[in-house]
Structure formats: C-alpha cells, structure tokens
Amino acid sequence: MFKKRVKGKRNCNRLGLQFLLLVLATIVIPSVLFFFIIVNRYSDDLLQQTVRERTALLQEINRTIVLQLTDYEELSMTIYYNEATKAFIDSGAYNQTPQAVDQVLNAIRYSQPHVESVFLCFGDKAYAYGRVYGNFDSYRTQYEDQVLASGGRCVWLPTEQMNGAYSRTPKSFALARRLNSTEGAVGTMYMFCSSNLFDKILTNPALTEG
C-alpha cells in the first residue's frame, strides 16, 4: 500500500508539473512575449515619431533662418537701389555724407529689429549709423581684405563680442559688402546684427525635451 501511495503521489507531481508547463507554454510565455513585442513596437513608433517631429522642426528653423538672412542680404542692397546712396558711392567725394544718404542708412538700421548698426567705410573714414563700437577699427582690419576680395558679393562674418557704449559688450555677427562705384571698388559696408536673433531657436524646448 505504501508503494501505491508513493506511486500515486509521483503521478500527481508529474501531472502538476505537466499542467504547470502547459500553462507556461500556452499562457505565460506567449503573454510575456506579446508584452515585449508590443512595448518594443510602441517604443520604435514613438522614437520614429519623435525623430520625424524634430526633423520637421529643424527644417522649419532652417527655412526661417534662410529667409531672415536673405532679407538682410536684400536690405543691404538698398545702397545700390536708392538713387541718393548710389550717387554718393559713384561721386568719389567721401569727406561728408549728404543728408539724403544719412536718412537712407538710418532707415536701413531701423527697418529690422535685430540690425544694430551700419558702417560705410571709405579709406580711413567710417560713417556709423546706430551703435558705435570701440573695437570696430580692429574688427575692420581683421576682415577688410576678405570683404574686398568678394567683388561686391555678400560676406557673412562670424559672431564676435563688440565693445559698445557704457561698457556694453554685445555679441554680433555682420553682413559685409565691397562698395563698387562706376570706377571700381571704393569702400566697404558692414551691417551688424544681434546674435539674439537666434535665441528663440536655441532655447526652443521642443529641441531639448524628451
């Protein structure tokens, strides 16, 4: 009888183990696998969606920057589009700027919120409209050859710390052009823009969240 009980107990254990394996094979393991597949698929979809959204955001930012810089390039061409400034450049007499030229340059200065100042340079003379920088002469010396070599095309100069009035040190980048008269190159123009133009882009939470 003892042997029968042991044998019966073994049979019960075997049946219990078989049942447990059956449950694992048909319910637990498939459920776990399904869970990981769903989580992995959801994670991949979420990652792809995030990549798409940030790619679209960066493309939009790039378009905005290109449009803004193109506007600045077009604005700098005002010196040729306007009759008064064009006549002044062609005159060969640069000891004093006519009032009409001053008005045009001031209009350029105030036409865009991030334009800080415009400089017209002829030899050792530099006429400033807007902010005046204490280190402009050294800045000009650093880039003048590059600007003159451009032939009149727009040259974008990198952001630098300028020395403004009242100990202010704004960070500005510049658009520069060689000034060409009917006789050839006669000077240069520098249009300084505040680097704050890019602040909203650099601090956009959509670029750093997640």
Side-chain angles (χ1 to χ4, degrees):
M1 178 178 287
F2 178 74
K3 289 182 178 181
K4 288 182 180 180
R5 287 179 180 176
V6 172
K7 185 176 182 181
K9 194 171 183 179
R10 288 178 178 174
N11 288 335
C12 288
N13 289 339
R14 188 179 295 111
L15 289 173
L17 180 60
Q18 290 175 349
F19 178 76
L20 178 61
L21 292 174
L22 180 64
V23 170
L24 287 173
T26 60
I27 298 177
V28 177
I29 294 177
S31 297
V32 172
L33 290 175
F34 179 75
F35 172 78
F36 279 109
I37 290 172
I38 292 298
V39 169
N40 186 62
R41 178 61 183 275
Y42 175 77
S43 298
D44 287 343
D45 290 345
L46 184 60
L47 177 60
Q48 291 175 13
Q49 180 182 353
T50 301
V51 170
R52 286 194 298 269
E53 290 175 351
R54 295 197 177 183
T55 299
L57 176 61
L58 289 172
Q59 290 173 341
E60 182 60 30
I61 288 172
N62 182 66
R63 282 192 293 269
T64 301
I65 292 175
V66 169
L67 286 174
Q68 184 66 73
L69 297 184
T70 300
D71 285 346
Y72 287 162
E73 291 180 7
E74 188 67 17
L75 179 62
S76 71
M77 288 297 293
T78 303
I79 57 175
Y80 293 117
Y81 299 151
N82 182 270
E83 291 182 4
T85 51
K86 183 64 170 67
F88 175 63
I89 292 171
D90 290 338
S91 70
Y94 310 120
N95 290 328
Q96 184 176 357
T97 56
Q99 184 177 1
V101 172
D102 294 339
Q103 291 174 346
V104 173
L105 271 295
N106 279 317
I108 292 174
R109 158 69 179 87
Y110 290 108
S111 62
Q112 291 283 352
H114 290 96
V115 175
E116 296 182 327
S117 61
V118 181
F119 287 78
L120 287 186
C121 306
F122 302 94
D124 59 353
K125 290 187 176 298
Y127 300 100
Y129 301 86
R131 285 187 174 180
V132 177
Y133 303 122
N135 59 334
F136 175 73
D137 288 342
S138 60
Y139 181 94
R140 181 185 173 191
T141 300
Q142 181 179 356
Y143 293 110
E144 189 83 347
D145 289 343
Q146 178 182 345
V147 177
L148 289 173
S150 71
R153 294 184 302 275
C154 171
V155 178
W156 286 104
L157 303 177
T159 299
E160 291 199 17
Q161 185 169 292
M162 306 302 292
N163 297 334
Y166 306 108
S167 301
R168 293 173 182 169
T169 54
K171 291 183 178 180
S172 308
F173 63 97
L175 177 159
R177 287 186 184 278
R178 187 178 81 180
L179 299 179
N180 295 320
S181 72
T182 53
E183 301 299 323
V186 294
T188 51
M189 183 192 74
Y190 295 84
M191 185 167 73
F192 288 88
C193 306
S194 172
S195 61
N196 291 337
L197 172 67
F198 304 110
D199 281 357
K200 288 184 178 180
I201 298 172
L202 298 176
T203 58
N204 192 321
L207 289 175
T208 56
E209 65 185 6

